[in-house]
Amino acid sequence: MTDGSTAIPEVHALLRVLAAGRDVLELGSAFGIGAAAMAETARRVVTIERDPERAAAARERVRDIPNVEVLEGDWRELAHGSYGLVFADAGAYNWERVVELTEVGGFIVKDDLTPGRSILGDSVREFLLGDARLVATEFLTTPSMAAIVAVRVAT
């Protein structure tokens, strides 16, 4: 387990912009660094972490931030409602469920991607870049990392 030092400032800057005034769901809290960044502009942040040690670290990091709620467990069981931003930072995804949790006009962000990979054969890229309910783009966050930002345009 790391201390969260792999968090990318460029991604946090993007998340602050997309979170502004929105209810946010983070799938995979890690150590709460992303949740704290999004809380600076978000109306509310719900962050879910499966690993008990990481969840405890996230709770500690955001304990004085009133608009952040840290839940411990499997996001597929704990996530409910509709969000203006879903930051998919966990390890396993049910993309249909992620879309269901994203309101029309809301964003889905997936980072930590290796740039330059083909869309075909990559389940994350195939879904986010190919689903008719989403308009999405992939871009570099650093020279060696990429992210996809999608907006939900249809139900």
Side-chain angles (χ1 to χ4, degrees):
M1 182 161 52
T2 69
D3 63 358
S5 60
T6 59
I8 299 173
E10 295 84 354
V11 172
H12 291 164
L14 170 69
L15 293 171
R16 281 185 202 94
V17 169
L18 297 178
R22 296 176 182 271
D23 290 331
V24 175
L25 175 63
E26 179 182 37
L27 309 176
S29 309
F31 301 95
I33 296 169
M38 291 182 286
E40 292 176 24
T41 61
R43 179 176 31 240
R44 173 177 73 111
V45 177
V46 176
T47 183
I48 305 172
E49 175 56 50
R50 172 174 249 173
D51 180 90
E53 290 180 43
R54 288 182 179 204
R59 276 191 294 279
E60 178 64 23
R61 181 174 305 271
V62 302
R63 72 171 184 242
D64 295 327
I65 305 174
N67 62 334
V68 179
E69 177 182 9
V70 179
L71 303 177
E72 182 179 325
D74 187 329
W75 72 266
R76 292 165 289 196
E77 297 170 6
L78 297 174
H80 302 286
S82 183
Y83 297 86
L85 170 60
V86 178
F87 179 36
D89 207 24
Y93 302 99
N94 172 336
W95 290 109
E96 286 296 330
R97 180 88 171 101
V98 170
V99 171
E100 288 173 10
L101 291 164
T102 307
E103 62 192 30
V104 173
F107 296 100
I108 299 169
V109 175
K110 174 63 186 116
D111 71 338
D112 295 334
L113 298 170
T114 301
R117 294 220 172 139
S118 173
I119 295 171
L120 295 176
D122 183 316
S123 62
V124 172
R125 286 176 170 92
E126 283 182 3
F127 188 91
L128 293 176
L129 297 171
D131 190 280
R133 297 167 293 180
L134 305 172
V135 173
T137 190
E138 180 175 343
F139 59 94
L140 292 176
T141 54
T142 71
S144 62
M145 299 287 285
I148 294 175
V149 174
V151 62
R152 184 171 179 187
V153 295
T155 56

